[in-house]
Amino acid sequence: MRYTTYAEYLPELAETINLQGLLDQLADFLLQSGFAGGPYAHPFWGEFGDDQDRSLDALRQAILQALMDSGQLTPEMLKVLRGESTGDPARDAELERQLAELLDKIVQKLIDEGYLNVQAPPQMPGGQQPLFGPNGMAREAARDVQFSLTEKGIDFLGYKTLKHLLGSIGKSSFGAHETEHLAPSVEVEAASKQYEYGDTLNLDVNATLSNALQREGLGVPINLEYEDLMVHQADYRSSSATVLMLDCSHSMILYGEDRFTPAKKVALALTHLIRTQFPGDSLRVVLFHDTAEEIPLARLAHAQVGPYHTNTAEGLKLARRILLGQNKDMRQIIMITDGKPSALTQPDGRIYVNSMGLDPMILQATYREVALCRRSGIIINTFMLARDRSLVEFVKKVSAICRGKAYFTNTMTLGQFILMDFMRRKTRRVS
């Protein structure tokens, strides 16, 4: 994406900012998963290391970092941000004021365009304080105002993620997605057929008129009979119900890598794909940790990991219960995890945990749930974000029991694997 760097500050700069491009840059920040030590910090605004901070102040810092990364700030502004002086204290103060004003305008545009909501109006503190700058009243007020993504904002992030994922799959793959290549666009599904009572009246005009002319010859008016009617045929497309199981145990943000945010992005992309291309399908989301819970798609963007273990059996049990209530041709579970099952819900409701190796009792309960899914006609596809030998054997056995598939992937390729598998299964279900 191209950006423009201005040699000097212009009041209209806020109007030239591409909001959708900026939202795309802010996706990791807006979908933060509790992964500490993020990149959104700068000395001008102070330290920022808590990714769970959803204040307007944190949003400004993220926008500031995005503008710096894309080179859209003036050289003088960058000097001030680096702590350098232009040599004129009055000029430095003016640049700080202009920068704060620019960030305020961008935040307000995001709110006005319907991408963000704020939970409370700013409460301006009293006393003699400057309006702008690191210790200004605007900064203090911004700390007290929390923001959240709207449905429009969540849907847009899902659309952008889907576009990025499908566009990167390439020319040789299947499906209808944008690439940089051109091709003739002639789409034929099947030959037309004679109309029968109960058929959808998707009339093939050319074939209908041809039948009438063959029967009566060329002339006007053309007399159409019932047997002349021809209708288009199309492939029968079946419906499917999908439960996306997301592991939100602590290991999903350990080892210097955030694995949960990419998983959320994929879930949003799947939601947008199903809503726009497969309206007869359904997608539900289950988070599994010490226990398991279903969350509405509107809450997915704000889901976070926690100090949890991995109760895979409970997640499968809840997903199976949800799918059995869906009257669809195909039922499937997409499970994204990076660790071994380490927790189990006992009959009395207590949670038994064991993080040391693969516990036989936990494994047995997990395999039992996998077998129940198979008996219910539910396919389980597992996407493993780790490659430990013991985990590989566990995932292989799960796939063997339920006759599903196992993908050993990483955060960079997770979305492509999931979307390609989803599209393949939709293709196979066409009769």
PDB file of all heavy atoms in Angstrom, residues 80-106:
ATOM      1  N   VAL A  80      10.924  15.307  17.037  1.00  0.00           N
ATOM      2  CA  VAL A  80      10.320  15.512  18.354  1.00  0.00           C
ATOM      3  C   VAL A  80      10.035  14.174  19.017  1.00  0.00           C
ATOM      4  O   VAL A  80      10.268  13.994  20.228  1.00  0.00           O
ATOM      5  CB  VAL A  80       9.028  16.349  18.216  1.00  0.00           C
ATOM      6  CG1 VAL A  80       8.285  16.418  19.542  1.00  0.00           C
ATOM      7  CG2 VAL A  80       9.357  17.754  17.727  1.00  0.00           C
ATOM      8  N   LEU A  81       9.548  13.200  18.247  1.00  0.00           N
ATOM      9  CA  LEU A  81       9.234  11.895  18.820  1.00  0.00           C
ATOM     10  C   LEU A  81      10.487  11.165  19.297  1.00  0.00           C
ATOM     11  O   LEU A  81      10.433  10.395  20.261  1.00  0.00           O
ATOM     12  CB  LEU A  81       8.503  11.037  17.772  1.00  0.00           C
ATOM     13  CG  LEU A  81       7.087  11.490  17.424  1.00  0.00           C
ATOM     14  CD1 LEU A  81       6.553  10.697  16.251  1.00  0.00           C
ATOM     15  CD2 LEU A  81       6.171  11.353  18.614  1.00  0.00           C
ATOM     16  N   ARG A  82      11.601  11.404  18.635  1.00  0.00           N
ATOM     17  CA  ARG A  82      12.860  10.772  19.055  1.00  0.00           C
ATOM     18  C   ARG A  82      13.517  11.512  20.214  1.00  0.00           C
ATOM     19  O   ARG A  82      14.589  11.124  20.676  1.00  0.00           O
ATOM     20  CB  ARG A  82      13.823  10.707  17.872  1.00  0.00           C
ATOM     21  CG  ARG A  82      13.451   9.679  16.823  1.00  0.00           C
ATOM     22  CD  ARG A  82      14.617   9.444  15.872  1.00  0.00           C
ATOM     23  NE  ARG A  82      14.890  10.625  15.072  1.00  0.00           N
ATOM     24  CZ  ARG A  82      14.431  10.815  13.833  1.00  0.00           C
ATOM     25  NH1 ARG A  82      13.668   9.890  13.265  1.00  0.00           N
ATOM     26  NH2 ARG A  82      14.732  11.913  13.166  1.00  0.00           N
ATOM     27  N   GLY A  83      12.885  12.581  20.691  1.00  0.00           N
ATOM     28  CA  GLY A  83      13.446  13.339  21.800  1.00  0.00           C
ATOM     29  C   GLY A  83      14.430  14.390  21.368  1.00  0.00           C
ATOM     30  O   GLY A  83      15.076  15.021  22.206  1.00  0.00           O
ATOM     31  N   GLU A  84      14.590  14.594  20.071  1.00  0.00           N
ATOM     32  CA  GLU A  84      15.492  15.617  19.572  1.00  0.00           C
ATOM     33  C   GLU A  84      14.756  16.953  19.499  1.00  0.00           C
ATOM     34  O   GLU A  84      13.532  17.014  19.527  1.00  0.00           O
ATOM     35  CB  GLU A  84      16.010  15.231  18.177  1.00  0.00           C
ATOM     36  CG  GLU A  84      16.722  13.890  18.146  1.00  0.00           C
ATOM     37  CD  GLU A  84      17.106  13.485  16.734  1.00  0.00           C
ATOM     38  OE1 GLU A  84      17.003  14.341  15.827  1.00  0.00           O
ATOM     39  OE2 GLU A  84      17.499  12.319  16.543  1.00  0.00           O
ATOM     40  N   SER A  85      15.511  18.020  19.389  1.00  0.00           N
ATOM     41  CA  SER A  85      14.937  19.350  19.317  1.00  0.00           C
ATOM     42  C   SER A  85      15.217  19.960  17.956  1.00  0.00           C
ATOM     43  O   SER A  85      16.269  19.727  17.354  1.00  0.00           O
ATOM     44  CB  SER A  85      15.521  20.243  20.421  1.00  0.00           C
ATOM     45  OG  SER A  85      15.058  21.583  20.283  1.00  0.00           O
ATOM     46  N   THR A  86      14.255  20.722  17.489  1.00  0.00           N
ATOM     47  CA  THR A  86      14.455  21.441  16.227  1.00  0.00           C
ATOM     48  C   THR A  86      15.262  22.706  16.428  1.00  0.00           C
ATOM     49  O   THR A  86      15.591  23.403  15.458  1.00  0.00           O
ATOM     50  CB  THR A  86      13.092  21.812  15.611  1.00  0.00           C
ATOM     51  OG1 THR A  86      12.392  22.686  16.518  1.00  0.00           O
ATOM     52  CG2 THR A  86      12.270  20.568  15.360  1.00  0.00           C
ATOM     53  N   GLY A  87      15.607  23.021  17.680  1.00  0.00           N
ATOM     54  CA  GLY A  87      16.345  24.234  17.971  1.00  0.00           C
ATOM     55  C   GLY A  87      15.465  25.390  18.375  1.00  0.00           C
ATOM     56  O   GLY A  87      15.959  26.433  18.816  1.00  0.00           O
ATOM     57  N   ASP A  88      14.180  25.237  18.250  1.00  0.00           N
ATOM     58  CA  ASP A  88      13.229  26.297  18.589  1.00  0.00           C
ATOM     59  C   ASP A  88      12.197  25.707  19.547  1.00  0.00           C
ATOM     60  O   ASP A  88      11.326  24.934  19.138  1.00  0.00           O
ATOM     61  CB  ASP A  88      12.562  26.815  17.319  1.00  0.00           C
ATOM     62  CG  ASP A  88      11.600  27.966  17.602  1.00  0.00           C
ATOM     63  OD1 ASP A  88      11.390  28.284  18.786  1.00  0.00           O
ATOM     64  OD2 ASP A  88      11.054  28.534  16.628  1.00  0.00           O
ATOM     65  N   PRO A  89      12.276  26.034  20.846  1.00  0.00           N
ATOM     66  CA  PRO A  89      11.329  25.456  21.813  1.00  0.00           C
ATOM     67  C   PRO A  89       9.878  25.718  21.456  1.00  0.00           C
ATOM     68  O   PRO A  89       9.010  24.851  21.655  1.00  0.00           O
ATOM     69  CB  PRO A  89      11.717  26.141  23.132  1.00  0.00           C
ATOM     70  CG  PRO A  89      13.142  26.546  22.954  1.00  0.00           C
ATOM     71  CD  PRO A  89      13.292  26.882  21.500  1.00  0.00           C
ATOM     72  N   ALA A  90       9.595  26.900  20.928  1.00  0.00           N
ATOM     73  CA  ALA A  90       8.218  27.204  20.541  1.00  0.00           C
ATOM     74  C   ALA A  90       7.770  26.303  19.397  1.00  0.00           C
ATOM     75  O   ALA A  90       6.621  25.829  19.364  1.00  0.00           O
ATOM     76  CB  ALA A  90       8.098  28.678  20.136  1.00  0.00           C
ATOM     77  N   ARG A  91       8.689  26.052  18.461  1.00  0.00           N
ATOM     78  CA  ARG A  91       8.368  25.162  17.339  1.00  0.00           C
ATOM     79  C   ARG A  91       8.148  23.735  17.820  1.00  0.00           C
ATOM     80  O   ARG A  91       7.247  23.035  17.351  1.00  0.00           O
ATOM     81  CB  ARG A  91       9.509  25.210  16.311  1.00  0.00           C
ATOM     82  CG  ARG A  91       9.342  24.282  15.125  1.00  0.00           C
ATOM     83  CD  ARG A  91       8.142  24.643  14.307  1.00  0.00           C
ATOM     84  NE  ARG A  91       8.052  23.820  13.097  1.00  0.00           N
ATOM     85  CZ  ARG A  91       6.958  23.721  12.355  1.00  0.00           C
ATOM     86  NH1 ARG A  91       5.861  24.377  12.703  1.00  0.00           N
ATOM     87  NH2 ARG A  91       6.948  22.969  11.283  1.00  0.00           N
ATOM     88  N   ASP A  92       8.978  23.290  18.795  1.00  0.00           N
ATOM     89  CA  ASP A  92       8.798  21.944  19.347  1.00  0.00           C
ATOM     90  C   ASP A  92       7.427  21.800  20.001  1.00  0.00           C
ATOM     91  O   ASP A  92       6.734  20.787  19.813  1.00  0.00           O
ATOM     92  CB  ASP A  92       9.891  21.649  20.375  1.00  0.00           C
ATOM     93  CG  ASP A  92      11.264  21.511  19.730  1.00  0.00           C
ATOM     94  OD1 ASP A  92      11.315  21.376  18.484  1.00  0.00           O
ATOM     95  OD2 ASP A  92      12.259  21.548  20.457  1.00  0.00           O
ATOM     96  N   ALA A  93       7.033  22.802  20.767  1.00  0.00           N
ATOM     97  CA  ALA A  93       5.729  22.751  21.433  1.00  0.00           C
ATOM     98  C   ALA A  93       4.595  22.750  20.415  1.00  0.00           C
ATOM     99  O   ALA A  93       3.588  22.051  20.584  1.00  0.00           O
ATOM    100  CB  ALA A  93       5.585  23.944  22.379  1.00  0.00           C
ATOM    101  N   GLU A  94       4.750  23.523  19.334  1.00  0.00           N
ATOM    102  CA  GLU A  94       3.721  23.562  18.299  1.00  0.00           C
ATOM    103  C   GLU A  94       3.606  22.215  17.592  1.00  0.00           C
ATOM    104  O   GLU A  94       2.499  21.746  17.293  1.00  0.00           O
ATOM    105  CB  GLU A  94       4.052  24.661  17.285  1.00  0.00           C
ATOM    106  CG  GLU A  94       3.101  24.751  16.101  1.00  0.00           C
ATOM    107  CD  GLU A  94       1.670  25.103  16.505  1.00  0.00           C
ATOM    108  OE1 GLU A  94       1.463  25.568  17.654  1.00  0.00           O
ATOM    109  OE2 GLU A  94       0.769  24.913  15.677  1.00  0.00           O
ATOM    110  N   LEU A  95       4.742  21.555  17.335  1.00  0.00           N
ATOM    111  CA  LEU A  95       4.715  20.250  16.685  1.00  0.00           C
ATOM    112  C   LEU A  95       4.045  19.209  17.581  1.00  0.00           C
ATOM    113  O   LEU A  95       3.305  18.352  17.101  1.00  0.00           O
ATOM    114  CB  LEU A  95       6.129  19.802  16.317  1.00  0.00           C
ATOM    115  CG  LEU A  95       6.793  20.538  15.147  1.00  0.00           C
ATOM    116  CD1 LEU A  95       8.241  20.099  15.000  1.00  0.00           C
ATOM    117  CD2 LEU A  95       6.032  20.271  13.848  1.00  0.00           C
ATOM    118  N   GLU A  96       4.316  19.283  18.886  1.00  0.00           N
ATOM    119  CA  GLU A  96       3.659  18.363  19.819  1.00  0.00           C
ATOM    120  C   GLU A  96       2.148  18.578  19.801  1.00  0.00           C
ATOM    121  O   GLU A  96       1.366  17.624  19.819  1.00  0.00           O
ATOM    122  CB  GLU A  96       4.206  18.567  21.226  1.00  0.00           C
ATOM    123  CG  GLU A  96       5.633  18.062  21.423  1.00  0.00           C
ATOM    124  CD  GLU A  96       6.088  18.199  22.859  1.00  0.00           C
ATOM    125  OE1 GLU A  96       5.261  18.610  23.699  1.00  0.00           O
ATOM    126  OE2 GLU A  96       7.259  17.901  23.139  1.00  0.00           O
ATOM    127  N   ARG A  97       1.739  19.846  19.786  1.00  0.00           N
ATOM    128  CA  ARG A  97       0.311  20.146  19.745  1.00  0.00           C
ATOM    129  C   ARG A  97      -0.326  19.642  18.450  1.00  0.00           C
ATOM    130  O   ARG A  97      -1.407  19.049  18.459  1.00  0.00           O
ATOM    131  CB  ARG A  97       0.093  21.658  19.863  1.00  0.00           C
ATOM    132  CG  ARG A  97      -1.380  22.060  19.978  1.00  0.00           C
ATOM    133  CD  ARG A  97      -1.585  23.522  19.732  1.00  0.00           C
ATOM    134  NE  ARG A  97      -1.316  23.855  18.346  1.00  0.00           N
ATOM    135  CZ  ARG A  97      -2.164  23.630  17.337  1.00  0.00           C
ATOM    136  NH1 ARG A  97      -3.327  23.056  17.572  1.00  0.00           N
ATOM    137  NH2 ARG A  97      -1.834  23.958  16.117  1.00  0.00           N
ATOM    138  N   GLN A  98       0.373  19.835  17.324  1.00  0.00           N
ATOM    139  CA  GLN A  98      -0.157  19.381  16.034  1.00  0.00           C
ATOM    140  C   GLN A  98      -0.265  17.860  15.992  1.00  0.00           C
ATOM    141  O   GLN A  98      -1.238  17.303  15.459  1.00  0.00           O
ATOM    142  CB  GLN A  98       0.732  19.886  14.902  1.00  0.00           C
ATOM    143  CG  GLN A  98       0.673  21.387  14.675  1.00  0.00           C
ATOM    144  CD  GLN A  98       1.616  21.834  13.588  1.00  0.00           C
ATOM    145  OE1 GLN A  98       2.448  21.067  13.103  1.00  0.00           O
ATOM    146  NE2 GLN A  98       1.488  23.094  13.184  1.00  0.00           N
ATOM    147  N   LEU A  99       0.735  17.185  16.561  1.00  0.00           N
ATOM    148  CA  LEU A  99       0.710  15.717  16.563  1.00  0.00           C
ATOM    149  C   LEU A  99      -0.451  15.203  17.411  1.00  0.00           C
ATOM    150  O   LEU A  99      -1.175  14.287  17.002  1.00  0.00           O
ATOM    151  CB  LEU A  99       2.033  15.182  17.094  1.00  0.00           C
ATOM    152  CG  LEU A  99       2.194  13.664  17.133  1.00  0.00           C
ATOM    153  CD1 LEU A  99       2.027  13.063  15.743  1.00  0.00           C
ATOM    154  CD2 LEU A  99       3.530  13.277  17.732  1.00  0.00           C
ATOM    155  N   ALA A 100      -0.637  15.783  18.594  1.00  0.00           N
ATOM    156  CA  ALA A 100      -1.754  15.368  19.444  1.00  0.00           C
ATOM    157  C   ALA A 100      -3.088  15.634  18.763  1.00  0.00           C
ATOM    158  O   ALA A 100      -4.013  14.815  18.830  1.00  0.00           O
ATOM    159  CB  ALA A 100      -1.689  16.104  20.785  1.00  0.00           C
ATOM    160  N   GLU A 101      -3.189  16.767  18.074  1.00  0.00           N
ATOM    161  CA  GLU A 101      -4.420  17.109  17.363  1.00  0.00           C
ATOM    162  C   GLU A 101      -4.679  16.137  16.218  1.00  0.00           C
ATOM    163  O   GLU A 101      -5.822  15.708  15.983  1.00  0.00           O
ATOM    164  CB  GLU A 101      -4.320  18.534  16.821  1.00  0.00           C
ATOM    165  CG  GLU A 101      -5.571  19.016  16.110  1.00  0.00           C
ATOM    166  CD  GLU A 101      -5.420  20.426  15.569  1.00  0.00           C
ATOM    167  OE1 GLU A 101      -4.470  21.125  15.987  1.00  0.00           O
ATOM    168  OE2 GLU A 101      -6.245  20.824  14.725  1.00  0.00           O
ATOM    169  N   LEU A 102      -3.606  15.757  15.509  1.00  0.00           N
ATOM    170  CA  LEU A 102      -3.740  14.795  14.409  1.00  0.00           C
ATOM    171  C   LEU A 102      -4.268  13.454  14.919  1.00  0.00           C
ATOM    172  O   LEU A 102      -5.200  12.870  14.343  1.00  0.00           O
ATOM    173  CB  LEU A 102      -2.384  14.603  13.721  1.00  0.00           C
ATOM    174  CG  LEU A 102      -2.291  13.485  12.683  1.00  0.00           C
ATOM    175  CD1 LEU A 102      -3.207  13.766  11.501  1.00  0.00           C
ATOM    176  CD2 LEU A 102      -0.849  13.293  12.214  1.00  0.00           C
ATOM    177  N   LEU A 103      -3.698  12.951  16.020  1.00  0.00           N
ATOM    178  CA  LEU A 103      -4.129  11.663  16.564  1.00  0.00           C
ATOM    179  C   LEU A 103      -5.568  11.734  17.055  1.00  0.00           C
ATOM    180  O   LEU A 103      -6.348  10.783  16.877  1.00  0.00           O
ATOM    181  CB  LEU A 103      -3.197  11.229  17.698  1.00  0.00           C
ATOM    182  CG  LEU A 103      -1.745  10.949  17.286  1.00  0.00           C
ATOM    183  CD1 LEU A 103      -0.913  10.603  18.508  1.00  0.00           C
ATOM    184  CD2 LEU A 103      -1.666   9.832  16.252  1.00  0.00           C
ATOM    185  N   ASP A 104      -5.943  12.873  17.669  1.00  0.00           N
ATOM    186  CA  ASP A 104      -7.335  13.044  18.121  1.00  0.00           C
ATOM    187  C   ASP A 104      -8.299  12.975  16.936  1.00  0.00           C
ATOM    188  O   ASP A 104      -9.371  12.368  17.020  1.00  0.00           O
ATOM    189  CB  ASP A 104      -7.493  14.373  18.850  1.00  0.00           C
ATOM    190  CG  ASP A 104      -6.878  14.350  20.242  1.00  0.00           C
ATOM    191  OD1 ASP A 104      -6.675  13.235  20.767  1.00  0.00           O
ATOM    192  OD2 ASP A 104      -6.596  15.425  20.799  1.00  0.00           O
ATOM    193  N   LYS A 105      -7.927  13.614  15.828  1.00  0.00           N
ATOM    194  CA  LYS A 105      -8.804  13.634  14.661  1.00  0.00           C
ATOM    195  C   LYS A 105      -8.947  12.240  14.049  1.00  0.00           C
ATOM    196  O   LYS A 105     -10.031  11.852  13.611  1.00  0.00           O
ATOM    197  CB  LYS A 105      -8.264  14.610  13.618  1.00  0.00           C
ATOM    198  CG  LYS A 105      -8.449  16.074  13.983  1.00  0.00           C
ATOM    199  CD  LYS A 105      -7.961  16.991  12.866  1.00  0.00           C
ATOM    200  CE  LYS A 105      -8.219  18.452  13.203  1.00  0.00           C
ATOM    201  NZ  LYS A 105      -7.738  19.355  12.125  1.00  0.00           N
ATOM    202  N   ILE A 106      -7.851  11.491  14.035  1.00  0.00           N
ATOM    203  CA  ILE A 106      -7.915  10.132  13.466  1.00  0.00           C
ATOM    204  C   ILE A 106      -8.814   9.246  14.325  1.00  0.00           C
ATOM    205  O   ILE A 106      -9.646   8.491  13.806  1.00  0.00           O
ATOM    206  CB  ILE A 106      -6.493   9.534  13.354  1.00  0.00           C
ATOM    207  CG1 ILE A 106      -5.677  10.308  12.316  1.00  0.00           C
ATOM    208  CG2 ILE A 106      -6.570   8.061  12.971  1.00  0.00           C
ATOM    209  CD1 ILE A 106      -4.227   9.867  12.229  1.00  0.00           C
TER     210      ILE A 106
END
